[in-house]
Amino acid sequence: MRKHSLIALFAGLALSVAAQAADRWQVPVASKKLANGLTVLVSPDHSSPTVGVSVVYHVGMRLEPKNRTGFAHLFEHLMFQGTPTAPKGVFDKVITGGGGNNNGSTRPDFTNYIETAPVSALESILWLEADRMKTLDFNPATLKNQQDVVKEEIRVNVQNQPYGGFMWIDIGGLAFQKWENNHDGYGSFKDLENASLDDVRAFHRDYYGPNNAVLSIAGDITPAKAFALAEKYFAAIPKRPTPAPSDFSEGLNTAERRLVQSDKLAQVPAIAAAWKMPDRGSKDQPAMAVLGELLAGGDASRFYQGLVKGRELALNLDSLYGLTSIWEYDGPTIFTVFALYKPDSSADALLSAMDEEIAKVVKDGVDEATLKRVKTRLLADWYNGLESFLSRADTLAKLQTLWGDAQVVNKIPGWIEGVKSADVQRAAKTYLTVANRSVIDRKPAAMLAAPAAAQGAASAAKP
């Protein structure tokens, strides 16, 4: 009798798992690799007569030349400055004139170029993308202009902003050991000014060939039509050798790293605490996604409830995964918690409170109701992020570039659902340790000046 009961139980479990998989939305993905090495992805969706397009190149800040910090970002700007056949201004004019818009961004492991438009503008977009994949209009005036643009961007976004992006720029410089991982991807003014036309030509030659790129299209088009257009516009571009990357791998840290910074624009102090993450593809990556959401994912998170609401140590709290997302990295990255805190509190008080919450997870794990809530929110965010054609095309291109398989888009929900309490405990115990932590305490300049002035006055008063 017991044997039959067990068989029925396992059969029921199998049916339950199968039903969950069947209920899960499967993102349609068709792929084809052209003879020149360009990978083409298509996700058909005829709910709107529009398309999203993403071209992702497997190059970013980690691969920019030494002594040329910020070069990958500078080069991203140069990609919009025209070619011999489509001079400066044509790219933006054609796409916006066709009812679309475009953008680009640079991250440690990739640079992406994105467009969204009515499907009638797709051929124009593909022609323009293929045109700048072939070559650019390399000239001194354009290079000088964009060097100035990037420097102004640094002034506006970093130098003249309270906190200056220390939670996503400076914290990496503290946490990582190797230059590829710890240098400022925005770049120093000196390095930006030293970038030459030869640097630009070599970078395009080495990293912007079709064999180092992924073209992704989502929206109102069939795979057959999209593949035909890709062949028409990209197939004639020859593949080019890509330099082998340096070894930028590094393990977890073994001793806490601390730094105090002064901020002349900040009104209240802030803290950035970062822990090195599991490698991409590690069994701990999904568990870390759940753990990050549990601890710092919004107002219901344990850090927010404990530090902001409960003890009222912090004024707010947010988290981020390096410069990308939990699923979009291909080298060392960090999980960072950022918070403004009250002047009568301290970085040590916040860290101690965080450590207490982490210790609870290590000791007790996560109850089933909370685990289900956290995973449901992660799944909702994942699916919501794939709703727009532009975001879907871009996500697929990044996954193909970093994982070598765009079908990861349909595996991630299962990975999230499969995380158990013990997995979250293991991730907390392995990664969220004091030894693996890097901390920047960013204080208003006046706060740092006051103790120094008081100490000076006390010294002067001594006989």
Side-chain angles (χ1 to χ4, degrees):
M1 184 68 180
R2 177 169 171 76
K3 180 179 179 181
H4 291 299
S5 297
L6 286 172
I7 292 173
L9 174 62
F10 287 130
L13 288 173
L15 287 172
S16 175
V17 172
Q20 288 178 8
D23 289 342
R24 194 184 301 145
W25 177 45
Q26 293 289 301
V27 179
V29 185
S31 65
K32 179 180 181 180
K33 179 170 282 192
L34 305 189
N36 61 6
L38 177 68
T39 300
V40 184
L41 306 172
V42 186
S43 182
D45 187 326
H46 305 293
S47 60
S48 168
T50 58
V51 290
V53 178
S54 174
V55 179
V56 171
Y57 293 90
H58 199 176
V59 63
M61 301 165 185
R62 269 194 250 269
L63 294 181
E64 62 192 5
K66 284 197 173 183
N67 301 317
R68 293 290 184 272
T69 58
F71 186 78
H73 179 215
L74 170 65
F75 193 89
E76 172 218 319
H77 281 254
L78 291 170
M79 282 284 282
F80 290 92
Q81 298 306 301
T83 74
T85 51
K88 181 177 179 178
V90 170
F91 192 97
D92 290 334
K93 183 177 180 180
V94 170
I95 291 177
T96 57
N101 57 69
N102 65 85
N103 209 337
S105 67
T106 309
R107 296 293 184 266
D109 302 301
F110 61 83
T111 305
N112 63 324
Y113 301 91
I114 53 177
E115 297 90 23
T116 184
V119 68
S120 58
L122 179 59
E123 285 209 53
S124 297
I125 290 173
L126 296 181
W127 183 88
L128 288 165
E129 286 289 6
D131 183 54
R132 64 180 179 177
M133 183 182 285
K134 295 172 189 173
T135 190
L136 298 179
D137 179 15
F138 303 113
N139 69 79
T142 295
L143 176 58
K144 177 64 169 63
N145 173 266
Q146 292 309 300
Q147 286 168 325
D148 292 341
V149 168
V150 173
K151 287 192 288 185
E152 182 61 20
E153 189 176 322
I154 294 171
R155 292 187 187 98
V156 171
N157 293 344
V158 179
Q159 295 179 348
N160 296 325
Q161 284 289 332
Y163 311 108
F166 84 105
M167 74 296 292
W168 53 274
I169 297 176
D170 299 353
I171 193 65
L174 180 63
F176 296 120
Q177 288 133 3
K178 294 187 176 180
W179 181 89
E180 291 85 351
N181 305 317
N182 69 17
H183 72 272
D184 180 359
Y186 245 142
S188 73
F189 281 18
K190 179 181 178 182
D191 284 356
L192 288 169
E193 289 166 355
N194 286 338
S196 68
L197 280 178
D198 286 341
D199 292 332
V200 173
R201 291 189 187 95
F203 203 75
H204 189 277
R205 179 198 66 215
D206 291 344
Y207 296 109
Y208 275 71
N211 47 304
N212 203 43
V214 174
L215 165 65
S216 179
I217 306 169
D220 190 19
I221 191 168
T222 65
K225 176 66 173 176
F227 293 149
L229 290 174
E231 287 277 359
K232 177 179 179 180
Y233 293 108
F234 290 88
I237 305 173
K239 66 171 62 177
R240 305 196 284 268
T242 302
S246 61
D247 178 13
F248 45 71
S249 62
E250 52 182 90
L252 302 183
N253 289 343
T254 57
E256 185 183 31
R257 303 177 177 200
R258 297 283 289 266
L259 179 65
V260 176
Q261 291 183 333
S262 175
D263 192 321
K264 63 182 180 181
L265 299 175
Q267 298 298 309
V268 296
I271 186 175
W275 297 262
K276 281 187 174 178
M277 289 267 291
D279 292 339
R280 179 190 59 74
S282 160
K283 67 176 182 178
D284 290 334
Q285 189 179 8
M288 190 65 220
V290 173
L291 178 60
E293 182 69 21
L294 171 73
L295 293 175
D299 293 357
S301 69
R302 295 194 177 181
F303 282 174
Y304 187 90
Q305 289 297 316
L307 279 67
V308 179
K309 289 293 188 182
R311 307 186 193 190
E312 297 185 347
L313 299 171
L315 300 170
N316 67 355
L317 189 137
D318 206 350
S319 64
L320 58 156
Y321 296 97
L323 293 175
T324 53
S325 81
I326 184 65
W327 308 110
E328 296 173 351
Y329 60 93
D330 199 26
T333 193
I334 47 180
F335 169 62
T336 304
V337 175
F338 162 67
L340 304 179
Y341 67 88
K342 296 181 178 181
D344 60 356
S345 183
S346 69
D348 286 335
L350 266 70
L351 293 170
S352 178
M354 290 183 199
D355 287 341
E356 287 182 26
E357 295 296 338
I358 295 167
K360 290 176 187 177
V361 177
V362 173
K363 180 177 180 292
D364 303 322
V366 191
D367 64 273
E368 284 303 315
T370 301
L371 189 60
K372 182 177 180 180
R373 172 184 62 78
V374 170
K375 291 195 288 187
T376 298
R377 174 162 171 163
L378 279 176
L379 289 167
D381 288 346
W382 179 247
Y383 287 127
N384 287 340
L386 296 169
E387 187 173 352
S388 83
F389 294 164
L390 181 61
S391 179
R392 192 188 311 177
D394 198 37
T395 298
L396 291 174
K398 291 173 186 175
L399 294 177
Q400 178 67 42
T401 299
L402 302 174
W403 294 77
D405 181 11
Q407 288 294 344
V408 166
V409 72
N410 291 316
K411 298 175 183 177
I412 286 173
W415 295 343
I416 293 171
E417 290 170 350
V419 173
K420 307 298 183 187
S421 175
D423 300 321
V424 181
Q425 283 179 287
R426 183 183 67 250
K429 184 178 181 180
T430 304
Y431 302 96
L432 300 195
T433 66
V434 173
N436 189 42
R437 184 172 68 195
S438 299
V439 180
I440 297 179
D441 187 12
R442 183 103 166 188
K443 295 177 180 289
M447 282 186 68
L448 291 174
Q455 185 177 3
S459 298
K462 290 181 180 179

